[in-house]
Amino acid sequence: MAPKRQARVVATGIVFEQPADPAGAFLDALGVLTEEARAALAQASQGHVVLLISAAFADVDPADGTGVRRWRLAPQGPHQISTAGSATAALLGLVEHDSEDLLAALRLQGMSVSRFDFYAAPHRFEVDERVRRLLTLD
């Protein structure tokens, strides 16, 4: 077994993004395009909702000098976020506590990460500008 590589956690968080292929994202998540998924796709095409996937991440800087690398868990969703009114509460409601899974995944990848440093790292929610223009975030 390879020795663990020392690493520093720079940041953790959740990234919210639009799937490149919303129908494919539903198929990946559900295995079938359900009536609810079809309705969500129709609502999105009419501009009533934005479909987003979310993924927990950790930005890790290994001590070997290779630079900061982002590690992500598998995406969750797609989630329907209404374009009417504030979307902040809806996004915060999607935040799952995947921290232990993410910490375990880093360790499985051979990273020696302190649990304290993992939880002490800054935690961010990332939403790209295109999504910010579609939603009201307050």
Side-chain angles (χ1 to χ4, degrees):
M1 186 159 110
K4 297 270 185 190
R5 295 173 289 168
Q6 286 296 117
R8 180 178 63 90
V9 178
V10 176
T12 63
I14 306 290
V15 61
F16 297 98
E17 54 198 14
Q18 290 181 290
D21 175 13
F26 277 114
L27 285 171
D28 289 345
L30 305 172
V32 64
L33 205 53
T34 64
E35 287 301 316
E36 292 84 5
R38 291 176 196 276
L41 291 166
Q43 290 288 312
S45 71
Q46 295 167 4
H48 300 297
V49 299
V50 174
L51 298 175
L52 297 179
I53 55 175
S54 61
F57 71 85
D59 292 335
V60 178
D61 188 7
D64 63 7
T66 57
V68 176
R69 179 173 174 197
R70 177 160 287 184
W71 297 85
R72 288 174 55 152
L73 290 181
Q76 304 296 309
H79 311 284
Q80 299 176 61
I81 308 298
S82 176
T83 57
S86 174
T88 300
L91 290 180
L92 292 176
L94 295 176
V95 175
E96 296 180 16
H97 300 284
D98 292 329
S99 298
E100 290 297 323
D101 292 342
L102 186 54
L103 182 56
L106 289 172
R107 289 179 172 164
L108 286 173
Q109 292 297 319
M111 298 287 163
S112 177
V113 175
S114 152
R115 189 167 47 116
F116 179 85
D117 290 341
F118 180 85
Y119 285 104
H123 190 78
R124 301 191 309 243
F125 299 119
E126 295 183 357
V127 180
D128 71 31
E129 283 305 313
R130 181 171 177 233
V131 172
R132 284 182 179 271
R133 286 191 299 273
L134 296 171
L135 299 174
T136 301
L137 300 172
D138 56 2

